[in-house]
Amino acid sequence: VEKAKERLGDRADYLVSDLLELELEEPVDLVFSTATLHWISDHDCLFRQLRSVLRPGGRLVAQCGGKGNVAAHTQAIAAVASDPHYGQHLTRARGLWNFASPEETEPRLRAAGFVDARCWFQDKPVQPERPLEFISTVTLGPILDQLPPEKRRPFAEAVLEQHEQPLVLDYVRLNIEAHVPGA
């Protein structure tokens, strides 16, 4: 929100909300999201809620992790998490992401009341300049939060050691476009 305020200033309104409980005083023309929706496990509820805040003719435009996203990284995380030294603390690590396919997502959008739903994959490999810092903040945050502070950095280092170097994360982006009927 702070970054958005720096860029947009008073030209926009800002709201922090659980997307599954999102409510607005007035419907909007556009819901735009980048790198967020894969963190929400219930996409059926999510799309119904997003549909409910759009006015007739409104649009949903989003990009999030799709099926197969960071597959090798996910395997590396699982390998390190299986070590009892770490695993005893990771009770909430299962189902961390919801990486869906276009074939799963388009029917969900239509069931939520969207039309002209179109979804597609886009490969986007990422080679972070500072791999340890990147995975510690971008991909491992919710996992590291479950660990005692003294185990966080060693966990991230162990995950990084599981990868070939240099680290290249195999991002698979799911692009989503859909409209609300009307206007």
Side-chain angles (χ1 to χ4, degrees):
V1 171
E2 292 306 316
K3 286 288 184 192
K5 286 180 180 178
E6 286 176 21
R7 289 187 174 181
L8 301 173
D10 294 336
R11 295 179 293 163
D13 295 321
Y14 306 92
L15 170 73
V16 176
S17 174
D18 179 332
L19 289 178
L20 296 178
E21 299 174 5
L22 180 64
E23 292 184 15
L24 302 176
E25 290 181 24
E26 297 287 330
V28 296
D29 295 319
L30 173 70
V31 170
F32 174 80
S33 176
T34 183
T36 302
L37 304 184
H38 57 265
W39 292 99
I40 300 171
S41 61
D42 188 346
H43 280 184
D44 292 318
C45 180
L46 170 67
F47 294 140
R48 283 191 307 271
Q49 199 62 34
L50 295 179
R51 165 62 184 87
S52 76
V53 301
L54 286 164
R55 65 178 45 133
R59 295 177 52 208
L60 168 62
V61 177
Q63 185 182 76
C64 59
K67 191 169 194 158
N69 191 49
V70 294
H73 189 53
T74 301
Q75 290 175 348
I77 294 167
V80 175
S82 69
D83 179 335
H85 182 71
Y86 300 112
Q88 64 180 323
H89 304 286
L90 301 176
T91 58
R92 299 184 317 268
R94 286 176 178 64
L96 188 59
W97 298 302
N98 182 358
F99 296 140
S101 69
E103 296 79 17
E104 295 168 295
T105 304
E106 288 176 2
R108 285 185 171 129
L109 290 163
R110 287 190 293 274
F114 287 98
V115 296
D116 302 323
R118 189 170 83 90
C119 302
W120 68 98
F121 285 137
Q122 177 183 1
D123 290 334
K124 188 170 180 167
V126 171
Q127 184 177 345
E129 286 184 30
R130 297 185 346 231
L132 183 62
E133 291 81 1
F134 185 91
I135 66 169
S136 295
T137 57
V138 175
T139 63
L140 296 179
I143 295 171
L144 296 179
D145 287 347
Q146 296 178 60
L147 294 172
E150 69 277 5
K151 292 185 179 185
R152 293 174 184 169
R153 185 176 178 96
F155 182 90
E157 289 171 341
V159 169
L160 193 55
E161 287 173 12
Q162 293 284 319
H163 287 281
E164 291 183 21
Q165 299 301 318
L167 175 66
V168 177
L169 296 171
D170 53 339
Y171 277 94
V172 176
R173 310 318 290 162
L174 174 64
N175 295 289
I176 300 170
E177 291 183 2
H179 294 86
V180 174

